[in-house]
Amino acid sequence: MAVRGVRGATTVAANTKEEIISKTEELLRALVTRNDLHADDIASVIFSVTEDVDAEFPAVAARAMGWIYTPLFCTREIPVKGSLKSVIRVLMHVNSDKRQEELMQIYLHDARKLRPDLEEGGSRYYSSE
């Protein structure tokens, strides 16, 4: 079994605790569901946020989902001029027998703009919004 990386991102409509937790949970649930993962499969998770997202740690959402033993780390994204704002990014390290290209990378809401290259390969998942 290999350790694989699964990426995803979402955006928040407002810099509030509730919005950060809600959108992070939505993203984590999509990543887990689409990749048929369980909490025990997740080796660790790195969250990054743009500098305008600071009302709560995204890791709080994972803890609320019961991921109490999973190592979680939050950091700030590099503030590149002109880059998309209000973004929460996730890098999950998972134990999986799947090949890297079989794993689904999930980009929700305005974060879909971050990886237009994945659209053609069918590796994207969109929210209904």
Side-chain angles (χ1 to χ4, degrees), residues 47-111:
F47 299 91
S48 72
V49 295
T50 51
E51 60 186 348
D52 56 336
V53 179
D54 62 2
E56 184 59 275
F57 295 102
V60 170
R63 294 286 184 238
M65 292 170 60
W67 299 6
I68 58 173
Y69 300 112
T70 305
L72 307 172
F73 184 81
C74 296
T75 189
R76 182 165 284 169
E77 192 69 28
I78 299 168
V80 175
K81 290 180 183 175
S83 62
L84 187 62
K85 301 292 184 198
S86 303
V87 180
I88 299 169
R89 290 173 173 86
V90 175
L91 170 58
M92 295 175 57
H93 301 102
V94 300
N95 297 303
S96 178
D97 288 325
K98 292 181 181 180
R99 294 185 326 272
Q100 187 67 52
E101 61 270 15
E102 294 177 295
L103 294 167
M104 301 292 291
Q105 315 304 312
I106 311 294
Y107 291 82
L108 302 176
H109 307 289
D110 283 345

Side-chain angles (χ1 to χ4, degrees), residues 4-23:
R4 303 285 187 201
V6 181
R7 281 292 319 274
T10 190
T11 52
V12 294
N15 182 32
T16 65
K17 291 180 181 186
E18 298 79 17
E19 179 76 357
I20 292 167
I21 291 170
S22 172
K23 291 294 175 64

